[in-house]
Amino acid sequence: QLRLVESGGGLVQPGGSLRLSCAASGFTLDYYAIGWFRQAPGKEREGVSCISSSGGRTNYADSVKGRFTISRDNAKKTVYLEMSSLKPEDTAIYYCAASGYSYSDLRNSNDYNYWGQGTQVTVSS
């Protein structure tokens, strides 16, 4: 059974950092592009970052460029999202998702067929 589990969320002060992890089980991560998405209360889900199956191509939403870094370790079947200089507007539930394509842009969320349960990130003083 294909499964994605996010971890690493929590409460952090503005300007702080967090590292989210997305652990895969039940399938070979190497063949899947992975995306991170977030949804804040009362707002639509938005794409945050994505990475190709090989890790050679990445993309970021304009709102997080220069602050977030996505990476993957296929041997550990884990994808990471390093978040720094966090702002209150980054507060949301963060989800990782897998696409059967080698790369899927953030705008093509329908390509992402498998989703984790999400992890809460709260940025507040």
Side-chain angles (χ1 to χ4, degrees):
Q1 181 181 359
L2 190 150
R3 191 172 179 219
L4 297 169
V5 179
E6 303 93 337
S7 61
L11 173 63
V12 63
Q13 291 187 341
S17 300
L18 281 174
R19 187 177 80 160
L20 304 184
S21 298
C22 172
S25 61
F27 66 106
T28 302
L29 188 65
D30 308 43
Y31 304 130
Y32 291 79
I34 299 294
W36 282 97
F37 298 81
R38 68 186 181 187
Q39 187 165 22
K43 294 188 176 181
E44 291 188 356
R45 185 180 65 197
E46 65 170 331
V48 174
S49 182
C50 59
I51 188 167
S52 63
S53 55
S54 67
R57 184 177 178 183
T58 60
N59 194 21
Y60 299 90
D62 288 343
S63 58
V64 306
K65 277 181 183 176
R67 301 189 299 120
F68 289 12
T69 302
I70 191 170
S71 62
R72 64 192 295 157
D73 185 335
N74 285 343
K76 294 183 177 179
K77 303 182 76 172
T78 303
V79 176
Y80 305 97
L81 186 68
E82 298 270 4
M83 307 186 296
S84 62
S85 301
L86 283 162
K87 305 174 181 179
E89 51 263 44
D90 294 318
T91 296
I93 299 175
Y94 284 70
Y95 301 90
C96 66
S99 163
Y101 295 101
S102 59
Y103 178 79
S104 289
D105 194 81
L106 291 172
R107 295 167 294 180
N108 301 328
S109 61
N110 288 338
D111 288 347
Y112 290 88
N113 306 109
Y114 308 102
W115 294 77
Q117 83 291 345
T119 186
Q120 176 71 47
V121 172
T122 303
V123 184
S124 175
S125 56

